[in-house]
Amino acid sequence: MTTRHLYLARHGAADAFGELIGIGRRQAGLLGERLASVPVDAVWHSPLPRAVASAHELARHLPNVPVAEAAELVDHVPYVPGAAETPPSWAGFFDGYDDTEAASGQRLAEALVARFAKAPDATAKGTQPNTHEVLVTHAYQIAWLVRHALDAPPSRWLGLNSANTALTVIEYRNGLPPTIVMFNDMSHLPPDLRWTGFPEGMRP
């Protein structure tokens, strides 16, 4: 049986212009240290600067592991819910999303799932029994992959948030539903670097 191990991480903390800041670099480096014991085959990142910089920062701890862009990981709204599906606190967020934008986001979300949310092809020549890939992306894309793994309704990506460089792990095996090994784990970060990217509030 082949298994695909996906290590999903939101980029490090960034400024209002989407550029990685010092805190974000520290977070990404610590995530790299955590992943150094994993036999990582590849690091994929979103095209956006904060994800690119985070991927290269963590990859300093993964010698000889290829780092490459994956367009499907770009930040986007994966699914615009209908009025009946939208929690009241999210209602205003979707103002201004027209049908064209919604369809574009949904196509990207489908491409993300098609590329990454599956087990390796056991019949393909040279396929390894286990692959380990790191995806440096954005909160919405992690939420979408978690929702997909749970086979939850499309609107349930709402409310699934990820802290900067928190680790989510999903495993895909042929003939079995996906396994969520962990979600939003920040144990590699000291307390002062945790929970960035979340609204202010009491956190455990």
Side-chain angles (χ1 to χ4, degrees):
M1 179 179 289
T2 58
T3 303
R4 187 177 207 167
H5 306 262
L6 283 190
Y7 302 84
L8 310 172
R10 186 179 179 182
H11 57 82
D15 63 21
F17 301 100
E19 299 289 340
L20 201 66
I21 60 175
I23 288 173
R25 290 189 184 280
R26 288 173 59 202
Q27 291 170 325
L30 290 166
L31 177 59
E33 289 180 17
R34 179 174 182 176
L35 294 172
S37 62
V38 175
V40 176
D41 298 295
V43 175
W44 302 97
H45 60 75
S46 156
L48 298 181
R50 57 193 182 275
V52 176
S54 297
H56 285 278
E57 186 67 30
L58 74 84
R60 293 192 304 106
H61 301 276
L62 309 174
N64 303 316
V65 174
V67 180
E69 178 181 303
E72 299 89 346
L73 296 174
V74 73
D75 198 10
H76 66 275
V77 171
Y79 175 78
V80 177
E85 304 170 285
T86 306
S89 60
W90 280 83
F93 181 83
F94 298 105
D95 289 349
Y97 276 90
D98 59 27
D99 292 343
T100 300
E101 289 175 301
S104 176
Q106 194 155 357
R107 282 193 300 271
L108 271 171
E110 289 167 358
L112 173 64
V113 166
R115 180 168 181 181
F116 290 109
K118 60 184 179 182
D121 182 0
T123 64
K125 185 178 180 180
T127 298
Q128 300 296 317
N130 290 282
T131 62
H132 299 262
E133 296 161 274
V134 178
L135 275 53
V136 182
T137 184
H138 307 273
Y140 294 171
Q141 284 53 65
I142 296 169
W144 187 252
L145 288 169
V146 169
R147 178 220 64 82
H148 175 267
L150 293 172
D151 197 24
S155 62
R156 283 302 294 123
W157 73 270
L158 299 173
L160 291 171
N161 201 356
S162 292
N164 295 117
T165 73
L167 187 61
T168 293
V169 181
I170 307 177
E171 295 177 351
Y172 300 89
R173 297 177 178 85
N174 286 314
L176 292 172
T179 299
I180 297 177
V181 178
M182 63 179 63
F183 173 70
N184 198 44
D185 186 273
M186 292 172 273
S187 58
H188 52 286
L189 300 175
D192 62 316
L193 295 183
R194 295 177 186 174
W195 296 110
T196 64
F198 267 68
E200 289 187 11
M202 293 296 296
R203 305 293 177 193

